[in-house]
Amino acid sequence: MNVRLEARAVTVVPDGSRRAILSDASVQIRSHEVHALVGPNGAGKSTLFGVIAGDVRATSGTALLDERAIGDYSARELARLRAVLLQQNAVTFPFTVAQVVEMGRAPWARISDEEQDAAAIARALADADIAALAARAIPSLSGGERARVALARVLAQGTDILLLDEPTAALDLKHQEDVLAVARRRAREGAAVAVVLHDLNAAMSSADRVTLLADGRVVATGTPAEVLTAERIEAVYAQPVDVFPHPVTGIPLVTPRRA
Ligand code: ADP
Ligand code: MG
């Protein structure tokens, strides 16, 4: 359970703005764990992801990868250490699925051999359940299929740090479960996996650790059951909920209270 990525008291104030969109936020992403980031729209989840991915600069505070400042790594080094699925991942050019997934191997050009590349690509296609779509052109795919191609490209990068920003957002029930299972499997193999989720039940059952953000601040961090209490969810989301043990699994289940 080594800490691979860390934000220490990070504040982000966008250029030309005076309002912090992230305030004094700290988080640790460890190997062998799935760490879910949850919180309302605009809470700062993607911003915090950007900071620990090395894509967004902290105005104050520090972001570390393997205890070294993230800004000290070259783009090439970062691409071999961590892969990032952005919330917006528009590939609109008429590439084929196979071509887009192959792009995930770019950081390894002249380092990995053809066999390693082929194995990583085949595994990524299978994990994202898009092997049957390999020859299709991206513009011909549905939104959910495109989202799975974007995921496969990130998986093909073959890093053991994964940052997935809302990877399940466009997906049907089965493919949501598949993505969570892939995240769990990669963590079991030793990867440090951070994932932004809106589905609190997915966080509850798939994450080892949860960080709840609201208004740019970390409200709580800990195990899912510690963090996702009815009281806290209601306060942060302004939505009454019931939290009760699932009759079969015993895992706490969150449901909005409806009239
Ligand atoms: P989340 O991913 O939790 O929905 P984001 O991290 O994307 O939230 O954004 C947090 C808040 O910061 C939002 O209110 C968003 O509109 C704002 N924001 C994000 N980027 C910028 C920026 N470059 N300039 C100004 N505001 C920004
Ligand atoms: Mg976001």
Side-chain angles (χ1 to χ4, degrees):
M1 320 299 156
N2 301 324
V3 175
R4 302 296 311 276
L5 291 176
E6 183 171 11
R8 280 192 200 154
V10 166
T11 294
V12 173
V13 181
D15 288 339
S17 166
R18 284 158 63 185
R19 196 177 67 90
I21 58 176
L22 203 59
S23 305
D24 197 30
S26 297
V27 71
Q28 294 185 332
I29 312 298
R30 294 165 205 231
S31 62
H32 297 276
E33 286 187 356
V34 174
H35 192 133
L37 275 186
V38 301
N41 295 136
K45 303 179 298 295
S46 295
T47 304
L48 180 55
F49 248 48
V51 170
I52 58 178
D55 294 330
V56 172
R57 203 191 319 196
T59 310
S60 65
T62 45
L64 305 164
L65 192 163
D66 291 338
E67 298 178 338
R68 180 175 153 208
I70 200 123
D72 291 351
Y73 292 86
S74 70
R76 199 89 199 281
E77 286 174 312
L78 282 181
R80 290 178 194 149
L81 287 165
R82 56 94 181 107
V84 187
L85 177 68
L86 297 174
Q87 194 174 355
Q88 273 89 23
N89 40 58
V91 174
T92 46
F93 296 103
F95 293 114
T96 66
V97 168
Q99 285 171 325
V100 170
V101 177
E102 268 172 43
M103 289 173 197
R105 298 302 299 166
W108 300 100
R110 291 181 302 280
I111 291 181
S112 68
D113 58 33
E114 253 174 70
E115 230 168 273
Q116 285 172 305
D117 288 340
I121 290 165
R123 186 177 185 215
L125 290 169
D127 279 349
D129 191 24
I130 54 166
L133 304 176
R136 292 272 299 276
I138 299 293
S140 76
L141 301 180
S142 77
E145 289 166 346
R146 281 184 215 199
R148 278 149 51 206
V149 173
L151 174 69
R153 174 182 171 174
V154 164
L155 294 174
Q157 209 173 314
T159 63
D160 60 4
I161 300 176
L162 285 172
L163 295 161
L164 309 176
D165 197 346
E166 299 198 23
T168 56
L171 304 187
D172 65 49
L173 189 66
K174 176 201 153 39
H175 287 108
Q176 289 183 34
E177 291 303 308
D178 284 354
V179 169
L180 295 169
V182 168
R184 290 234 46 89
R185 191 155 72 238
R186 297 282 161 123
R188 208 181 313 128
E189 293 168 1
V193 183
V195 54
V196 176
L197 295 172
H198 278 302
D199 181 345
L200 300 180
N201 290 313
M204 202 67 103
S205 54
S206 301
D208 300 290
R209 216 172 277 270
V210 174
T211 294
L212 174 63
L213 284 168
D215 296 327
R217 293 181 183 276
V218 172
V219 175
T221 187
T223 66
E226 283 166 1
V227 171
L228 299 174
T229 61
E231 196 177 26
R232 214 180 260 126
I233 295 167
E234 292 187 355
V236 163
Y237 290 90
Q239 165 64 48
V241 294
D242 293 306
V243 179
F244 54 90
H246 186 281
V248 177
T249 63
I251 296 170
L253 195 60
V254 181
T255 58
R257 197 171 300 147
R258 299 183 176 115

